[in-house]
Amino acid sequence: YMRQPNPARNMAKAEPLLQQVLSSGFKAGPEDQAWARRNLALALSFHNDQTAKKRALNLLDENLSGTLANDADRRAKALILSGMREREAKQEAADLLERLLPDSLSQDSKDEAEERFVLAQIYYALGDQAKVQTHMRTLLAKRGDERRYVEMYAKYLISIKEVDEAKKWLKGLELADQSQRQDDFSKLRFTIEALYVQEKFNDLITAVVAYVNESSIRSEEHTSELQS
C-alpha cells in the first residue's frame, strides 16, 4: 500500500496491517518494528487532526531514540513537521533537512532534489527570503527544466515583486514545454499574479477577458473540425 502512486488513498488499508506488525502477538523483529513504526507514522500524517500527527511524531521519536535510528526516520519526521501549523515545527523540519541534504556543490539525487524543494517551501512559509533564494537557485542550477520547481520560484519572485526576473524563468519554461495549451494557462496564471502585485488591475481584467475569448474561439474551431 505504501508504494502505490497515490499512497494517501491506501492509508486506511495500510494502518491496521502496520498496527498488527507492532502488536505483541506478531513477534516482529526490531528492524521490522522500526519499519512499521516509520510507515505507520507516515500513514497517520495524512490525517487532518493534530492528535494523529503527534502520535506519528512519537512513533518516529521512538525509532530515533533506539540503535536502529536512520536518515529515513529523520526524513519522515521532517516531512510531518513541515506540514504542521506551528512555526517551531516548521523550523525543526528545516533543521533536519539541512543536516540531511548534501552541500550545494554536490549533485542532488532525485529524492534529494525533492527534499531541497520541500526545504525551500518551508523557508518560504517561515519568511526567510535569503534561504529560499539559496535553495531554489541550487535546485534550479541542476534541475532548471522541472516545471514545478520553476513555477514555485517564479511565484516566489512575483511575491517579492521581482516580476522581470520571474518572467525570464517563465519564458525559458515556455520555450522548453511542448504543450502549448498548458503554457497558455500557466502564462495567464502568472500574468495575473504579476499584475496583481503591481496593482495593474485594469490590465489584469484585460488579460483574463482575452484568454476567455481566445479559449472560446479555439473551442468553436475544434467543434467545426469534428463536424466537418
Side-chain angles (χ1 to χ4, degrees):
Y1 296 117
M2 305 300 295
R3 295 179 181 178
Q4 296 299 314
N6 189 352
R9 295 179 181 177
N10 298 290
M11 290 300 123
K13 298 177 182 177
E15 285 183 37
L17 299 176
L18 294 167
Q19 294 276 18
Q20 186 177 354
V21 174
L22 293 172
S23 67
S24 57
F26 195 84
K27 297 181 180 179
E31 291 185 2
D32 288 335
Q33 288 186 9
W35 174 87
R37 279 192 292 269
R38 182 186 314 121
N39 285 285
L40 180 57
L42 290 171
L44 291 169
S45 72
F46 284 90
H47 291 225
N48 290 325
D49 62 287
Q50 294 299 302
T51 301
K53 287 181 169 56
K54 288 179 180 178
R55 186 185 169 209
L57 292 173
N58 288 337
L59 288 166
L60 291 168
D61 285 338
E62 186 175 350
N63 276 6
L64 290 168
S65 65
T67 58
L68 296 175
N70 57 38
D71 285 348
D73 295 315
R74 297 181 184 93
R75 287 188 181 93
K77 185 174 183 179
L79 179 65
I80 294 168
L81 288 167
S82 70
M84 299 182 76
R85 294 189 295 267
E86 296 84 355
R87 183 180 180 84
E88 294 78 6
K90 292 185 183 297
Q91 186 61 61
E92 186 178 353
D95 293 342
L96 281 167
L97 288 175
E98 288 279 16
R99 290 195 292 270
L100 289 168
L101 282 169
D103 62 72
S104 60
L105 298 178
S106 301
Q107 179 66 46
D108 288 355
S109 68
K110 184 176 180 179
D111 287 343
E112 288 165 346
E114 283 296 308
E115 288 168 12
R116 195 176 295 280
F117 186 48
V118 170
L119 181 56
Q121 291 177 84
I122 293 171
Y123 283 131
Y124 182 69
L126 291 172
D128 193 331
Q129 294 187 14
K131 289 187 176 179
V132 174
Q133 293 270 14
T134 295
H135 286 290
M136 287 307 301
R137 286 175 177 172
T138 298
L139 185 60
L140 291 169
K142 302 160 187 174
R143 297 179 182 270
D145 58 346
E146 175 62 52
R147 169 173 285 277
R148 292 180 303 118
Y149 301 164
V150 175
E151 288 189 345
M152 186 271 182
Y153 189 49
K155 184 175 181 179
Y156 163 73
L157 289 170
I158 290 170
S159 75
I160 60 172
K161 300 188 177 182
E162 294 286 344
V163 176
D164 290 340
E165 185 67 16
K167 286 179 179 178
K168 292 177 185 177
W169 283 99
L170 291 172
K171 184 64 177 177
L173 186 64
E174 181 181 340
L175 292 172
D177 197 332
Q178 299 301 310
S179 174
Q180 183 62 41
R181 180 61 179 164
Q182 186 178 25
D183 279 350
D184 288 344
F185 185 76
S186 295
K187 188 191 299 183
L188 173 71
R189 182 155 54 88
F190 284 102
T191 296
I192 288 172
E193 292 185 16
L195 292 172
Y196 183 82
V197 299
Q198 296 175 91
E199 299 183 0
K200 296 181 178 179
F201 303 117
N202 289 335
D203 291 344
L204 187 157
I205 294 170
T206 300
V208 173
V209 170
Y211 176 81
V212 171
N213 289 338
E214 185 177 347
S215 297
S216 298
I217 292 171
R218 286 181 178 176
S219 179
E220 290 173 3
E221 290 175 347
H222 182 64
T223 301
S224 298
E225 289 174 2
L226 291 175
Q227 291 174 345
S228 61

